[in-house]
Amino acid sequence: MSARIVVTSHGGDFFGEDRHPAQVLTALAAYAQGVLPADGRRIVVKLLRQAADSPAGATRDVSAAVAGQIAPLLRRLARSRVITSKTHAKAASLLADAAERAAADGEQWTLSTETTCTVRITSYGVGHQNDPGAGHRPVVVDTTELRNPPDDPDVRARLTQMTGLDPEVQQYVLTTAGATQLIARSVREIEQRARAGETTVEVLVHCYGGRHRSVAIAETIGADARTLGYGVHIEHRHIDRPILPSRLRD
């Protein structure tokens, strides 16, 4: 069975929507049973369960008045200490935000259930001359303009012994100017492909050696895609290859 996501209107993303894995809404419904007062619990639990359990293609419209009633209940749920998962707490907060926007605009709040796509991410180093075969119109992410540990004498001895899976390397790469924008553009393109009906989106992330920049960026793109409810598979093609000589002079 394909994984499903629930897409809400009046969201905060580039498209004015938010996307939640169906299983997250199921978990929130269970939390709501124990957190919310009896007079508000039923409407929230029913909405979350129906949205999560509906087949792909189903849409539920909530009136502005009802959205206004639900919003503070979702906010209370988001702030509950019972929810220990940051993912679940953030989802509840986003749902509350979207319901508030719909109520404030006097518009219906819509929750649509969709089948999610699979995002296949491959990181690699072009310096190995062993690039992965490209499928149909892959999303290509070039990280070669970002800071590279082997090219930096201040961190070379320490960070080159690590990979982009290590937090210290990720911090080094992700704080490079332009890294955040590169990731955001890539995730946005994945979203556009998914909305256009592609069931599988291939993402190719490259640097020179395939051990640091491409790995760190691939992992971050994958994490963001999972947050959006997509199924994600990541392969690091050259992460275990020897470190290539620096292309820059010290």
Side-chain angles (χ1 to χ4, degrees):
M1 183 177 180
S2 299
R4 287 169 294 112
I5 55 174
V6 176
V7 182
T8 66
S9 66
H10 299 83
D13 74 1
F14 178 79
F15 302 96
E17 298 176 343
D18 288 322
R19 307 168 77 85
H20 306 282
Q23 63 267 30
V24 170
L25 268 63
T26 298
L28 289 178
Y31 284 125
Q33 285 279 25
V35 170
L36 298 181
D39 57 346
R41 179 191 312 151
R42 183 174 180 277
I43 188 172
V44 172
V45 171
K46 181 179 179 181
L47 176 66
L48 294 175
R49 284 182 174 171
Q50 287 183 341
D53 295 341
S54 295
T59 298
R60 306 197 67 79
D61 293 322
V62 180
S63 69
V66 173
Q69 297 172 12
I70 290 175
L73 295 169
L74 289 169
R75 186 73 62 200
R76 179 171 178 172
L77 182 62
R79 293 171 177 168
S80 171
R81 294 183 179 181
V82 173
I83 301 181
T84 57
S85 165
K86 291 182 179 180
T87 298
H88 293 161
K90 181 179 179 180
S93 181
L94 290 174
L95 288 165
D97 290 344
E100 285 178 353
R101 292 190 191 100
D105 293 342
E107 298 174 348
Q108 284 187 330
W109 185 36
T110 301
L111 295 85
S112 304
T113 306
E114 300 179 359
T115 300
T116 187
C117 76
T118 297
V119 181
R120 299 187 179 278
I121 304 172
T122 303
S123 74
Y124 65 100
V126 295
H128 295 287
Q129 300 182 351
N130 180 27
D131 298 356
H136 175 62
R137 294 195 319 120
V139 176
V140 178
V141 184
D142 182 354
T143 72
T144 55
E145 294 301 314
L146 304 182
R147 290 190 298 178
N148 185 28
D151 294 334
D152 185 343
D154 292 334
V155 301
R156 179 185 299 152
R158 184 175 76 260
L159 296 191
T160 52
Q161 304 309 310
M162 305 177 188
T163 72
L165 297 178
D166 290 291
E168 191 172 353
V169 174
Q170 292 180 356
Q171 174 73 9
Y172 178 86
V173 173
L174 297 177
T175 53
T176 302
T180 299
Q181 294 82 350
L182 177 63
I183 293 165
R185 287 197 303 271
S186 303
V187 173
R188 188 176 302 165
E189 186 169 355
I190 291 170
E191 287 190 88
Q192 291 171 338
R193 300 283 186 91
R195 290 170 188 274
E198 294 187 26
T199 57
T200 300
V201 178
E202 184 176 3
V203 182
L204 301 181
V205 186
H206 71 266
C207 60
Y208 182 62
R211 289 174 51 90
H212 301 100
R213 292 170 294 180
S214 62
V215 173
I217 297 298
E219 288 290 325
T220 306
I221 291 172
D224 287 352
R226 288 190 186 96
T227 299
L228 293 171
Y230 301 129
V232 176
H233 299 277
I234 303 178
E235 175 190 1
H236 299 302
R237 190 177 181 89
H238 298 138
I239 192 170
D240 294 322
R241 292 290 185 91
I243 298 170
L244 296 177
S246 174
R247 295 179 299 168
L248 303 179
R249 295 182 181 273
D250 291 351

